[in-house]
């Protein structure tokens, strides 16, 4: 049966397995009876069986997860050239092979033995054996059927290289249909003689120039060959040479001759060799195509590795811009020292992820990494969360509580939004940094702590110092090594690399492959200002991934704000609804004005309570109380308060694994 195609299995757009569809049934899966087991890089979703009949291949899925084709699930499918099926995080591509088994010629009387032998040869040509072994077996069988002692198979230098062999010696220059080609002996039997060439060049030239078989039953009587000294010296009686042709191009030939008293070669022998040659060419073509696919797979893996190395810093972050490369360089340099670091950057630029990388690259990497969002706790609870409290320290303290400083002992403590700390807590934090000890709330005993502090903020701390909201001495304690993280709009070179990374991550997580982005969509990504930075980019990509119906991310699945190039924060806020003043008392009007002012400013600050408190010069505790009275504050856990106004929140956000998680 002719190998009519290959199934290429790809993972994250990289070919990992090439399956020749040559057996009547091929099973792909992880069971013990599977013929092909995919690599263990990712889970294989379900068992597949491919039945082959002639040049047709039918794929059957046994589940539990079935492949998809053009967005629809398929359990049984007749493979066609160019088919690309999704199967979990894998992609299956069917590639048609060159060459089709021709219909057998009518059987001649008395040729049963030769036809049986030809059938055996055909089966061997398409069995899983090495090409060199196959050619040796074919040559041996042909010599026996033709009662000949000597023979060889010659291939062009290009064909030898396509098969992945090293070109042998000697090479014989031959004129093949007007072009010069060099042949080398692939396999031979008893081809020895006194001349330098194993095969008569005259025979090669005649076959090469005509592209047809050459049969010389009696060398001595043939005008063209009787003058050949090499044939005469070796005592050759008759010669038969059959070209190996693919798409009309000669890629080699089969040569046999008979010596001395052996019977001369006849037309029946020529027909036998020509039938065998068709199967040999098909086998060579399939092998060459498989080698080509393997080379392309290796090349694709190498390119992917280079791309990954170009876009992924050794720290594991996705980096393509020079500005982020400088940030990473600073981060790596300071990581090995026990220096306090202050990360400065807008929300969503990845401050927490950078803090984690710093911890992993530091001598404290074996210790704990404890992250605290200072805005996630009500002011009265921040001190307890950071330093802990004893049982009975205050109402509701029914048990002792270990603070974050103690939990981070021997490791790294990350304080996010440190600029929002209550002034009382700032004083206590300064004392901890100076004395390396903490006191739990309700306890007079000092406890030593060994912690590296990494702080982060999106606020202007120097302006906060001038306004009296942040202690200057604490600032100089935490800003020993400040690192500014540029927002995404200042590093557009990172956008394509991040998009590619997010698509690859989502393809693995969601079990379907989207590996391309429409150029117009990519241009929109690069032009958009990304006020939410990397976090916003990831959310947009995930939304588009869910909506996409093909393996290409298009403009049609992108949000309107992004398509129009307008940031949501740039849209004018809706005017608050006001009640008719004529119906309000003075006290009611005053309350309504207060509510309108606070909620309007809260909307302007995207629900950020701390920023609203600063803008209005209103104590945060008062602001929390009013929001709670108006039903605009919800509790997300012990000490976790968040404003709920037009979808805005001040609670802790979901953390990603890419620059943009804080």
């Amino acid at each position: 049966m002719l190998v009519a195609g290959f199934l290429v299995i790809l993972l994250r757009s990289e070919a990992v397995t090439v399956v020749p569809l040559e057996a009547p049934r091929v099973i792909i899966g992880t069971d013990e009876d599977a013929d092909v087991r995919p690599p263990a890089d990712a889970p294989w979703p379900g068992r597949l069986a491919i039945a082959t009949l002639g040049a047709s291949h039918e794929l059957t899925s046994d589940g539990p997860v079935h492949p998809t084709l053009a967005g629809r699930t398929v359990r049984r499918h007749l493979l066609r050239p160019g088919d690309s099926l999704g199967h979990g995080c894998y992609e299956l591509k069917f590639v048609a092979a060159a060459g089709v088994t021709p219909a057998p010629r009518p059987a001649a009387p008395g040729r049963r033995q030769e036809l049986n032998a030809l059938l055996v040869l055909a089966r061997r040509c398409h069995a899983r054996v090495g090409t060199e072994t196959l050619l040796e077996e074919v040559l041996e069988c042909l010599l026996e059927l033709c009662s000949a002692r000597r023979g060889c198979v010659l291939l062009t230098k290009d064909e030898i290289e396509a098969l992945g062999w090293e070109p042998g010696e000697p090479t014989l220059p031959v004129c093949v249909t007007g072009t010069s080609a060099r042949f080398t002996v692939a396999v031979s039997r008893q081809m020895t003689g006194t001349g330098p060439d194993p095969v008569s060049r005259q025979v090669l030239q005649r076959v090469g120039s005509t592209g047809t078989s050459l049969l010389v039953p009696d060398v001595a009587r043939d005008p063209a060959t009787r003058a050949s000294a090499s044939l005469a010296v070796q005592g050759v009686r008759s010669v038969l040479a059959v070209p190996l042709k693919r798409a009309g191009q000669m890629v080699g030939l089969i040569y046999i001759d008979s010596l001395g008293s052996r019977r001369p070669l006849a037309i029946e022998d020529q027909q036998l060799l020509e039938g065998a040659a068709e199967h040999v060419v098909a086998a060579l073509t399939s092998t060459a195509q498989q080698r080509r696919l393997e080379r392309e797979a290796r090349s694709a893996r190498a390119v992917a590795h280079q791309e990954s190395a170009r876009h992924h810093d050794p720290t594991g972050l996705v980096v393509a811009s020079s500005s982020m490369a400088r940030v990473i360089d600073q981060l790596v340099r300071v990581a090995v020292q026990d220096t306090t670091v202050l990360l400065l950057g807008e929300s969503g630029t990845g401050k927490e992820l950078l803090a984690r990388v710093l911890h992993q690259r530091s001598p404290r990497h074996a210790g704990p990494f404890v992250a605290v969002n200072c805005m996630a706790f009500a002011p009265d609870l921040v001190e307890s969360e950071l330093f802990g409290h004893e049982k009975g320290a205050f109402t509701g303290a029914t048990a002792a509580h270990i603070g974050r400083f103690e939990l981070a002992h021997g490791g790294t403590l990350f304080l996010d939004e440190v600029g929002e700390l209550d002034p009382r807590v700032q004083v206590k934090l300064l004392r901890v940094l100076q004395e390396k000890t903490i006191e739990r709330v309700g306890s007079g005993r000092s406890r030593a702590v060994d912690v590296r502090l990494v702080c982060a903020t999106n606020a202007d701390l120097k302006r906060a110092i001038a306004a009296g909201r942040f202690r200057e001495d604490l600032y100089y304690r935490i800003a020993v090594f400040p690192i500014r993280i540029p927002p995404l709009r200042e590093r557009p070179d990172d956008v394509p690399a991040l998009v590619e990374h997010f698509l690859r991550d989502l393809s693995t997580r969601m079990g379907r492959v989207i590996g391309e982005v429409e150029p117009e969509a990519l241009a929109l990504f690069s032009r958009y200002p990304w006020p939410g930075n990397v976090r916003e980019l990831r959310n947009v990509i995930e939304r588009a991934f869910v909506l996409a119906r093909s393996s290409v991310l298009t403009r049609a699945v992108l949000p309107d704000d992004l398509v129009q190039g307008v940031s949501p924060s740039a849209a004018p806020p809706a005017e608050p609804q006001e009640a008719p003043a004529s119906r309000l008392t003075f006290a009611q009007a005053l309350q309504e004005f207060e509510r309108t002012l606070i909620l309007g400013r809260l909307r302007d600050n995207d629900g950020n309570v701390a920023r609203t408190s600063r803008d209005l010069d209103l104590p945060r505790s008062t602001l929390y109380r009013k929001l709670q009275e108006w039903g605009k504050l919800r509790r997300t856990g012990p000490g976790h308060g968040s404003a709920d106004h037009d979808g805005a929140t001040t609670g802790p956000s979901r953390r990603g694994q890419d620059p943009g998680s804080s």
Side-chain angles (χ1 to χ4, degrees):
M1 188 179 299
L2 176 67
V3 177
F6 300 87
L7 191 70
V8 183
I9 302 177
L10 302 98
L11 178 62
R12 303 183 189 97
S13 301
E14 299 178 23
V16 293
T17 304
V18 178
V19 183
L21 303 180
E22 53 192 7
R25 182 178 173 85
V26 177
I27 297 176
I28 306 174
T30 56
D31 300 331
E32 293 183 358
D33 63 338
D35 302 300
V36 177
R37 294 190 179 185
D41 298 359
W44 183 253
R47 174 186 170 106
L48 301 178
I50 302 177
T52 298
L53 180 61
S56 300
H57 306 279
E58 186 180 51
L59 180 144
T60 304
S61 172
D62 296 333
V65 178
H66 303 290
T68 58
L69 179 64
R72 61 182 181 86
T73 301
V74 294
R75 300 193 179 193
R76 187 181 296 271
H77 176 67
L78 188 63
L79 294 173
R80 297 177 177 84
D83 275 355
S84 179
L85 296 89
H87 196 39
C89 57
Y90 290 89
E91 185 178 9
L92 313 176
K93 286 191 175 181
F94 176 66
V95 181
V100 178
T101 303
R105 60 173 56 85
R111 299 296 304 279
R112 183 177 298 274
Q113 180 184 1
E114 289 84 352
L115 290 176
N116 286 337
L118 186 59
L119 179 60
V120 172
L121 285 176
R123 288 174 176 170
R124 292 298 293 164
C125 282
H126 307 298
R128 292 187 178 182
V129 296
T131 308
E132 188 171 2
T133 301
L134 169 66
L135 294 179
E136 289 175 348
E137 292 181 0
V138 169
L139 181 61
E140 193 76 28
C141 183
L142 291 175
L143 290 174
E144 182 178 349
L145 291 172
C146 297
S147 300
R149 291 185 58 192
R150 306 193 329 153
C152 64
V153 177
L154 293 94
L155 298 175
T156 62
K157 185 179 179 182
D158 291 343
E159 190 70 13
I160 290 285
E161 292 176 351
L163 294 171
W165 296 356
E166 291 294 331
E169 294 293 342
T171 58
L172 310 176
V174 176
C175 180
V176 178
T177 58
T179 62
S180 179
R182 301 192 70 86
F183 285 82
T184 187
V185 176
V187 295
S188 65
R189 179 179 174 187
Q190 297 188 12
M191 293 298 295
T192 58
T194 57
D197 300 332
V199 179
S200 168
R201 295 199 180 196
Q202 187 179 99
V203 172
L204 288 178
Q205 294 289 4
R206 289 177 63 179
V207 176
S209 61
T210 63
T212 59
S213 302
L214 172 65
L215 172 62
V216 182
D218 192 341
V219 171
R221 295 183 180 182
D222 183 74
T225 57
R226 65 186 175 189
S228 172
S230 61
L231 293 176
V233 169
Q234 297 176 52
V236 175
R237 180 180 181 182
S238 58
V239 170
L240 175 57
V242 174
L244 301 173
K245 300 175 70 175
R246 181 191 303 119
Q249 184 68 35
M250 187 171 166
V251 297
L253 61 85
I254 302 175
Y255 171 91
I256 63 174
D257 59 30
S258 64
L259 306 177
S261 59
R262 288 181 176 266
R263 74 167 178 84
L265 298 169
I267 188 65
E268 291 81 9
D269 300 315
Q270 178 180 332
Q271 293 172 347
L272 179 64
L273 260 68
E274 288 174 346
E278 294 169 347
H279 293 284
V280 170
V281 169
L284 293 175
T285 300
S286 295
T287 301
Q289 187 165 7
Q290 184 171 358
R291 296 292 179 269
R292 179 179 61 81
L293 289 172
E294 290 171 352
R295 288 193 297 271
E296 290 177 355
R298 287 194 297 269
S299 176
R301 284 194 293 268
V303 170
H305 178 74
Q306 292 173 359
E307 286 294 309
S308 177
R310 185 168 68 89
H311 292 322
H312 287 72
D313 185 81
T315 59
L317 300 175
V318 180
V319 177
S321 65
S322 58
S323 57
M324 274 305 292
R326 287 192 293 271
V327 169
I328 300 303
D329 179 67
Q330 294 180 58
L331 196 75
V332 171
R333 289 173 180 270
V334 75
V336 296
Q337 308 298 329
D338 216 25
T339 305
T340 302
V341 177
L342 176 62
L343 301 176
L344 304 169
E346 297 179 5
S347 178
T349 52
K351 297 186 288 294
E352 181 174 340
L353 180 60
L354 291 173
R356 289 183 182 276
V357 170
L358 188 148
H359 170 71
Q360 292 164 3
R361 306 275 293 195
S362 74
R364 296 175 176 265
H365 64 275
F369 176 87
V370 178
V372 181
N373 188 326
C374 299
M375 289 178 59
F377 305 102
D380 296 338
L381 296 177
V382 174
E383 184 177 0
S384 172
E385 284 296 326
L386 290 179
F387 310 115
H389 64 254
E390 297 291 353
K391 179 179 179 180
F394 49 84
T395 303
T398 58
H401 173 69
I402 299 176
R404 303 301 177 94
F405 267 92
E406 288 184 78
L407 292 175
H409 183 75
T412 302
L413 177 64
F414 174 61
L415 295 183
D416 197 6
E417 302 299 346
V418 68
E420 309 304 326
L421 283 175
D422 186 90
R424 294 172 301 172
V425 180
Q426 293 181 32
V427 173
K428 199 161 185 178
L429 177 60
L430 179 63
R431 184 179 304 131
V432 171
L433 294 177
Q434 291 173 341
E435 301 176 4
K436 306 296 183 183
T437 60
I438 60 105
E439 289 184 7
R440 294 181 181 177
V441 177
S443 171
R445 184 165 70 91
S446 296
R447 302 171 187 267
V449 288
D450 176 22
V451 171
R452 179 183 190 170
L453 189 65
V454 178
C455 300
T457 183
N458 60 11
D460 187 339
L461 292 185
K462 291 185 177 180
R463 182 178 296 179
I465 292 171
R469 296 193 302 269
F470 199 82
R471 295 183 62 93
E472 185 175 14
D473 48 1
L474 177 59
Y475 171 78
Y476 289 114
R477 278 285 182 179
I478 64 175
V480 178
F481 197 97
I483 299 177
R484 178 183 178 272
I485 306 167
L488 192 55
R489 62 180 174 275
E490 294 181 10
R491 44 188 176 104
D493 291 346
D494 284 336
V495 173
L498 287 167
V499 170
E500 178 185 344
H501 171 74
F502 291 144
L503 286 177
R504 190 184 309 116
D505 180 62
L506 290 167
S507 295
T508 301
R509 183 157 59 89
M510 296 190 177
R512 52 185 290 238
V513 177
I514 296 182
E516 297 182 42
V517 181
E518 185 182 56
E520 188 177 359
L522 195 58
L524 290 173
F525 285 138
S526 299
R527 289 198 301 264
Y528 187 67
W530 298 112
N533 292 292
V534 183
R535 183 188 297 119
E536 182 185 7
L537 173 61
R538 182 182 179 89
N539 292 342
V540 168
I541 294 295
E542 184 166 352
R543 175 185 181 275
F545 192 99
V546 172
L547 295 176
R549 296 185 177 182
S550 68
S551 60
V552 179
L553 206 67
T554 65
R555 170 186 176 139
V557 295
L558 300 181
D560 292 339
D561 291 328
L562 190 144
V563 173
Q564 297 167 5
V566 178
S567 164
S569 61
E575 292 295 329
Q577 297 292 325
E578 298 184 7
S582 59
R583 299 182 181 179
L584 299 177
T585 65
F586 178 79
Q588 290 173 332
L590 188 62
Q591 292 175 357
E592 187 61 29
F593 172 78
E594 180 184 55
R595 176 187 172 93
T596 302
L597 175 65
I598 290 177
L599 293 184
R601 192 65 57 87
L602 184 67
R603 183 185 302 106
D604 293 342
N605 288 324
D606 295 328
N608 190 310
V609 175
R611 196 177 300 131
T612 303
S613 172
R614 289 199 305 270
D615 290 351
L616 295 175
D617 196 19
L618 185 69
R620 202 189 314 177
S621 58
T622 302
L623 183 57
Y624 270 107
R625 178 172 53 78
K626 290 183 178 297
L627 291 173
Q628 192 169 12
E629 290 174 359
W630 299 333
K632 297 296 182 180
L633 186 69
R634 65 175 184 269
R635 292 288 173 179
T636 59
H640 292 62
S642 63
D644 185 2
H645 189 79
D646 291 347
T649 65
T650 62
S653 59
R654 179 182 175 184
R655 302 299 176 187
Q657 293 300 314
D658 307 280
S661 60
S662 69

